[in-house]
Amino acid sequence: MPKPTISLTLHAAIAEISAAEWDQCAGGKNPFVSHGFLRAVEDSGSAGPETGWIPRHAAFRDAQGQLVACAPAYVKTHSYGEYVFDHGWARALEQAGGRYYPKLQVCSPFSPVPGPRFLRAPGAPDSAELAAALVQATGEMRLSSLHITFCEQDEYAALGDAGFLQRMGVQYHWHNQGYASFEDFLAALSSRKRKTLRRERRDAQSCGLTFRNVRGGDITAADWVAFYRFYQSTVDRKWGSAYLTDRFFPLLSDYLGDAVVLMLADDRGTPVAGALNLVGADALYGRNWGCTGDYPFLHFELCYYRALDFAIIQGLARVEAGAQGEHKIQRGYLPQPTYSAHWIAHNGLRRAVADFLGQERASVAAEIEGLRQLSPYRRDEAGTNADQEIS
């Protein structure tokens, strides 16, 4: 029986695709691929031609014009804001006389958050078939490569089978084993780690600060002004660039409502620190944080411990605390693999990258296994707090 005809169109703005159609494919589980999140990125000026993130969102339609799948995609003129680093690949191709930029990136902008990249309605073609259509479009646009970053494990496997180059990374996630309270979670830790976490929380909470969580429409304009100041302070300390504009954060709560949770610390009524989280169907995703003072363990309290409190109360399965940070392990966040898939047109570069990634995957897998030995959980609990297999 012949396969149904699927057509691909690329769109210069997320607004060209209806929110209802897009979100029906997205499924509502992961807010970072929702129409609202992508719209906030574009409407705020954070992603656009001026910033080197040129929207080319993929829409796959059947013969009746029904959207059956979609993917957030951008033509990139640089490699910033992706968190899967390929600057070395770009230099190698350019030194050989080739051109690496522009390239096509399928991702959630500025967000190292694993999730689906090919958003598929029931009965839609599989991710490998959709990716093949994007490979063809990449060639037609004379782009060097196609990169699908922080994809799900099943997408990674399917794309690898289809000939994409596979890359692994590592993040740190906390898993809720049905804990009834933060104390219940602490009971799963070794005695020494349990005492350390209690001391850190006590010290953070004895600084004279008051803590509050605000969601969606309850987040005021003043809260967002303060938070943007915190965001900039973190960027400044890391000698980085502020990818997100001051318009992004208030648009986020306008478009995503109660999926946005801002955890704030106030000093005599004035916000001095904050952590931004998004709530999905089964996870809390920690994204940005900042502070304008010096308070012991406040980062851990706002970004890790209060996130666990929230997840336990809400019955969420896990907390994903973002990129980097082996210090998260001792606070209950264990290493998990992350995945990306890459197609490179240039034969020589593709062979060289394939060799590099084969070695890198083995190194990352060994690193994850080694890091898991540092688990703070009691031996009888450690196995229940590991998530994905390493592949």
Side-chain angles (χ1 to χ4, degrees):
M1 190 172 179
K3 289 185 177 180
T5 301
I6 301 296
S7 65
L8 166 63
T9 55
L10 299 177
H11 296 264
I14 191 66
E16 293 181 3
I17 305 170
S18 81
E21 281 190 309
W22 182 281
D23 287 339
Q24 186 173 16
C25 292
K29 186 175 181 180
N30 186 307
F32 290 89
V33 292
S34 68
H35 194 279
F37 180 86
L38 301 172
R39 182 183 166 198
V41 169
E42 290 180 30
D43 288 357
S44 66
S46 302
E50 299 81 6
T51 64
W53 285 80
I54 305 167
R56 289 294 182 269
H57 301 301
F60 301 88
R61 297 185 181 275
D62 62 19
Q64 290 72 46
Q66 181 72 33
L67 190 72
V68 297
C70 50
Y74 302 83
V75 171
K76 292 292 305 299
T77 59
H78 53 69
S79 290
Y80 297 106
E82 299 165 10
Y83 299 92
V84 176
F85 302 109
D86 61 351
H87 297 91
W89 306 354
R91 285 193 298 271
L93 185 56
E94 288 160 5
Q95 288 169 1
R99 186 187 67 165
Y100 194 75
Y101 304 109
K103 62 179 183 175
L104 188 62
Q105 191 85 20
V106 176
C107 68
S108 178
F110 320 115
S111 305
V113 177
R117 294 300 176 252
F118 291 99
L119 315 177
R120 301 163 52 239
D126 62 26
S127 55
E129 186 175 341
L130 299 176
L134 278 184
V135 167
Q136 181 176 341
T138 300
E140 291 171 353
M141 289 188 287
R142 299 183 179 277
L143 306 178
S144 73
S145 49
L146 168 63
H147 307 266
I148 301 162
T149 48
F150 293 101
C151 60
E152 293 191 327
Q153 189 175 18
D154 60 344
E155 293 174 320
Y156 170 83
L159 293 172
D161 290 342
F164 277 67
L165 306 181
Q166 295 175 299
R167 192 170 198 183
M168 285 174 51
V170 59
Q171 285 188 356
Y172 302 89
H173 301 169
W174 174 84
H175 295 274
N176 188 352
Q177 304 300 324
Y179 302 123
S181 65
F182 193 87
E183 281 296 316
D184 197 17
F185 154 66
L186 288 179
L189 305 181
S190 69
S191 174
R192 184 168 61 89
K193 299 302 181 185
R194 186 161 56 244
K195 291 176 181 176
T196 298
L197 267 63
R198 282 192 176 125
R199 176 178 55 81
E200 290 179 352
R201 293 210 80 177
R202 183 183 66 245
D203 290 353
Q205 293 174 2
S206 64
C207 293
L209 303 177
T210 56
F211 298 92
R212 56 191 173 101
N213 295 347
V214 282
R215 297 186 70 167
D218 292 332
I219 306 174
T220 67
D223 290 334
W224 282 130
V225 168
F227 182 75
Y228 192 70
R229 188 170 68 251
F230 305 149
Y231 168 68
Q232 288 181 306
S233 72
T234 298
V235 170
D236 291 343
R237 281 198 300 272
K238 294 183 177 181
W239 300 89
S241 299
Y243 297 129
L244 301 168
T245 70
D246 57 351
R247 296 174 56 212
F248 170 75
F249 297 107
L251 284 176
L252 199 62
S253 56
D254 286 347
Y255 294 167
L256 294 187
D258 280 352
V260 181
V261 180
L262 192 57
M263 298 178 178
L264 294 168
D266 296 337
D267 186 353
R268 289 166 290 187
T270 300
V272 294
L276 173 64
N277 305 265
L278 295 188
V279 184
D282 58 0
L284 181 70
Y285 302 92
R287 274 306 298 119
N288 305 102
W289 124 279
C291 180
T292 56
D294 185 14
Y295 305 92
F297 304 112
L298 183 57
H299 175 244
F300 298 156
E301 175 65 21
L302 270 185
C303 295
Y304 306 148
Y305 303 144
R306 292 186 68 80
L308 302 195
D309 278 334
F310 184 93
I312 290 169
I313 291 170
Q314 298 295 322
L316 299 173
R318 67 188 186 281
V319 177
E320 298 189 12
Q324 304 175 341
E326 291 182 17
H327 60 276
K328 297 171 185 173
I329 296 174
Q330 302 309 311
R331 286 143 192 105
Y333 293 75
L334 296 188
Q336 307 293 336
T338 61
Y339 304 104
S340 63
H342 309 265
W343 176 85
I344 298 172
H346 189 279
N347 289 331
L349 181 62
R350 183 169 63 249
R351 287 193 297 270
V353 170
D355 290 343
F356 165 74
L357 291 181
Q359 298 175 44
E360 185 187 55
R361 284 194 303 274
S363 175
V364 170
E367 177 188 11
I368 291 174
E369 287 299 336
L371 290 170
R372 284 179 175 173
Q373 304 310 308
L374 303 176
S375 168
Y377 295 93
R378 301 194 317 264
R379 289 185 179 274
D380 57 329
E381 293 282 342
T384 65
N385 283 280
D387 183 21
Q388 292 176 306
E389 296 180 357
I390 303 171
S391 60

